[in-house]
Amino acid sequence: MTSAHPTQTVAELSQPGGALDLGQGPARLLIRMLRLLAQEDHPIRRDRVLDSIADLGIEHAHAAALLDSWTERDDEGRIVGLGLTHNPTAHQVIIGGARKWTWCAMDTLIFTIVLNAPITVSSTAPESGTVVRLQVSPSGITVADPVEAAVTQRVPARGQSDFSTKTAIWGSFCHHSFFFLNRIEAEHWAAGRDDIATLSIEDGFDAARDMAAALTRYEKDHADE
């Protein structure tokens, strides 16, 4: 797939009413958990979760059900991961001096915008095991090593995006989004797939900006709270 068509498809996913429009309550809850995961050096305690739900004014049972479905937990029931995670993956990030990981490559680009913070990325490509290193900021890619790096993103057909559980999210998007040393390596990995977009790092960031806008859409309505 070329970079033009996939970017348009991501824009469709991100538009109001699109698959990435989670709705006001779920979107704001996701962003609050992302910020807590980024800010704290340990998993999110239950009391912090309850305070966040109350502060956002979301109906408790609905919010709790969403988080039960979406999040990784430890043995104490604390939230370990929701896109950003304390559990190691192929995508290591440094945010505010702290090491964490993300569920997929595109998350690293999306979260620098959502969190409004620079992120250092070290991501391992599947099959080859090569490492792509990036410095990203809310305004774009500041360093890419190698400069020819590419990123993949699944662009499912209508009705094939599933955000009901973390396992569904992994299957719909995360297990298909990786950084590669170049477009050739990425296209070799995605050979035979018609639902994988292969993007340059710059085009990937543009797509991430659309996806971040879908998540933060409702934050603007509450900016003065």
Side-chain angles (χ1 to χ4, degrees), residues 103-214:
W103 285 353
C104 73
M106 284 295 291
D107 282 344
T108 68
L109 307 182
I110 297 167
F111 294 165
T112 189
I113 300 168
V114 170
L115 298 172
N116 193 32
I119 297 178
T120 299
V121 181
S122 298
S123 182
T124 303
E127 297 183 353
S128 69
T130 52
V131 178
V132 173
R133 305 181 192 280
L134 305 172
Q135 297 281 347
V136 300
S137 77
S139 59
I141 309 294
T142 55
V143 176
D145 179 21
V147 295
E148 300 88 0
V151 62
T152 56
Q153 169 68 27
R154 183 169 184 247
V155 282
R158 288 181 177 85
Q160 293 185 357
S161 301
D162 187 351
F163 296 95
S164 60
T165 67
K166 63 178 179 295
T167 302
I169 294 169
W170 294 341
S172 290
F173 291 101
C174 297
H175 291 168
H176 315 279
S177 179
F178 295 92
F179 290 114
F180 295 86
L181 293 186
N182 51 49
R183 183 181 292 274
I184 293 173
E185 184 181 66
E187 291 180 345
H188 178 269
W189 175 79
R193 299 279 301 272
D194 62 1
D195 61 344
I196 298 292
T198 299
L199 305 171
S200 69
I201 291 297
E202 291 77 15
D203 286 344
F205 190 84
D206 288 342
R209 185 182 288 114
D210 284 341
M211 298 169 81

Side-chain angles (χ1 to χ4, degrees), residues 55-127:
D55 183 53
L56 292 170
I58 304 171
E59 197 274 321
H60 178 269
H62 179 54
L66 284 173
L67 293 178
D68 284 344
S69 297
W70 281 351
T71 60
E72 299 173 280
R73 304 284 182 128
D74 64 12
D75 292 340
E76 299 176 27
R78 300 178 302 176
I79 293 177
V80 174
L82 176 52
L84 187 64
T85 180
H86 290 270
N87 289 329
T89 72
H91 319 287
Q92 178 182 291
V93 295
I94 304 296
I95 305 176
R99 180 175 66 169
K100 296 183 177 69
W101 293 264
T102 64
W103 285 353
C104 73
M106 284 295 291
D107 282 344
T108 68
L109 307 182
I110 297 167
F111 294 165
T112 189
I113 300 168
V114 170
L115 298 172
N116 193 32
I119 297 178
T120 299
V121 181
S122 298
S123 182
T124 303
E127 297 183 353

